[in-house]
Amino acid sequence: MTFEKTVGISNIVLVQPSIYGNDNACLLDALKAIGPQHGRGVVGIDPGTIKLEELEEWHKLGVRGVRLNLKSTNVQFTERSLREMLKSYEKAIKPLNWVLELFIGMEHIPILDRIAGDLDVRLCIAHFGAPKLPKIKERERPFDPYDLDGFRSLVNLLARGNTWIKFSAAYRFDKDAEMRGIEAIAGELLKTAGDRIVFASDWPHTRFDGLDVRPFVERCLEWTKNAGLTEQVFVLNARELWDIQE
C-alpha cells in the first residue's frame, strides 16, 4: 500500500498482470495481507478448467472479477470466437456476480458491441478503451473522439448500462504531455456514463519504469471536477462495481 498512500488511496483493487498468466498466487497472497475490508482483486483464469469451489475461496479473499487481455497479447479472434470465449467466462463467473474486465483495442469494440447484449455479466473496459490516437501533429483542433475507429460503439456499450470503463494508463496511448487526445475522450465519456467510470492508477506502470503518475491523477481530478463527478469516479462507482460494503 506504500504507493497508494502517495496518491491518497486507502482501498485498492489488484489486477492480475498478463505476464503471470493464470498463476494468481502473488495477487492472492497480497489480498490476504491487505484484507477484504481494503482489498479487491481481478484474477486470470482458464474458464474451461476452473472450479467454482476455488472461485468461492477467492471470493472470500476479495476477488470480484476476472481479466481477459485481448490487446497486448495480440489474441486473434472473430466475432464468433470472441462470443464463445466471453460466454465461457460468463458461465464461470456468473454464479458469483463477478465482473469481466477486458483489455481490448478500441478498433475491436464494434465487435464487442454486437456481442455484449447476449452477456449476463457486467463488463469493465480497461484504459479508456485503448484508443489508437492520431499523431499529435496530425490532430485537428478541437479533437473529435467520434473520429476514432470504435469510439461510437464504446459509447453505445456504456449507454446500455451494463458496461463500465476505467480512466487509466493514458500515457500508454497519448504521447501528448497535455493529454489532449485522452482529455477529449474523457470529456465525452463523463457526459455519457459518469456513473460507470472508475479511476485506476495502472501501478506499477509496466514498461514505463519510473513514471510519475501524479500528473495523470491531477488531470483526472480536473476533468471529473469540471463534470461534477469527482466523488463518483474516485469513490462511489468503484464501491458499486467491486462490491465494497462500507
Side-chain angles (χ1 to χ4, degrees):
M1 297 289 287
T2 302
F3 163 76
E4 286 69 31
K5 290 178 181 177
T6 66
V7 290
I9 296 174
S10 57
N11 297 323
I12 184 173
V13 181
L14 302 173
V15 180
Q16 175 76 342
S18 298
I19 195 171
Y20 289 167
N22 297 331
D23 181 356
N24 300 287
C26 182
L27 184 148
L28 296 172
D29 284 345
L31 284 179
K32 291 174 186 177
I34 296 169
Q37 293 78 20
H38 295 287
R40 288 289 183 266
V42 178
V43 295
I45 66 168
D46 179 343
T49 61
I50 195 73
K51 302 298 184 185
L52 179 59
E53 293 78 12
E54 188 169 19
L55 298 182
E56 288 173 335
E57 289 301 312
W58 295 354
H59 188 89
K60 294 175 185 176
L61 295 176
V63 176
R64 293 295 185 272
V66 298
R67 181 177 189 251
L68 177 57
N69 183 347
L70 300 168
K71 174 68 176 176
S72 62
T73 53
N74 295 316
V75 175
Q76 301 298 308
F77 56 85
T78 63
E79 183 170 336
R80 179 177 178 179
S81 66
L82 182 60
R83 184 187 302 273
E84 292 173 353
M85 190 187 312
L86 299 187
K87 292 296 284 186
S88 69
Y89 276 86
E90 174 195 55
K91 182 178 179 181
I93 68 175
K94 178 58 181 175
L96 295 167
N97 196 32
W98 281 7
V99 177
L100 176 53
E101 179 171 326
L102 300 176
F103 183 21
I104 183 171
M106 190 174 287
E107 70 276 13
H108 291 126
I109 288 181
I111 298 175
L112 181 61
D113 185 22
R114 295 193 291 270
I115 294 171
D118 296 332
L119 298 174
D120 191 22
V121 291
R122 289 168 297 162
L123 301 177
C124 183
I125 309 298
H127 303 339
F128 292 93
K132 285 186 176 179
L133 294 174
K135 295 179 180 179
I136 297 173
K137 62 183 180 181
E138 296 175 356
R139 297 181 196 173
E140 296 181 3
R141 295 290 187 264
F143 175 73
D144 186 353
Y146 286 96
D147 290 338
L148 296 175
D149 186 13
F151 184 77
R152 189 170 296 277
S153 293
L154 175 60
V155 171
N156 291 341
L157 269 175
L158 293 168
R160 292 198 194 111
N162 206 38
T163 299
W164 302 59
I165 192 162
K166 284 185 175 181
F167 276 14
S168 57
Y171 38 83
R172 295 185 184 275
F173 309 101
D174 196 346
K175 304 307 178 184
D176 180 357
E178 297 299 319
M179 292 180 265
R180 283 169 287 195
I182 289 293
E183 179 177 49
I185 291 172
E188 195 62 31
L189 294 179
L190 286 164
K191 293 177 186 176
T192 303
D195 60 340
R196 272 165 287 111
I197 297 169
V198 293
F199 167 81
S201 70
D202 194 42
W203 181 86
H205 322 303
T206 52
R207 301 194 306 277
F208 287 80
D209 295 341
L211 176 82
D212 181 2
V213 75
R214 284 173 292 186
F216 172 62
V217 177
E218 290 168 0
R219 295 307 302 276
C220 285
L221 286 169
E222 176 185 327
W223 300 332
T224 57
K225 180 180 179 181
N226 291 340
L229 291 168
T230 300
E231 187 176 17
Q232 286 285 139
V233 173
F234 280 83
V235 181
L236 301 180
N237 295 346
R239 286 180 183 172
E240 180 179 351
L241 182 62
W242 305 118
D243 184 31
I244 298 171
Q245 307 297 323
E246 291 295 326

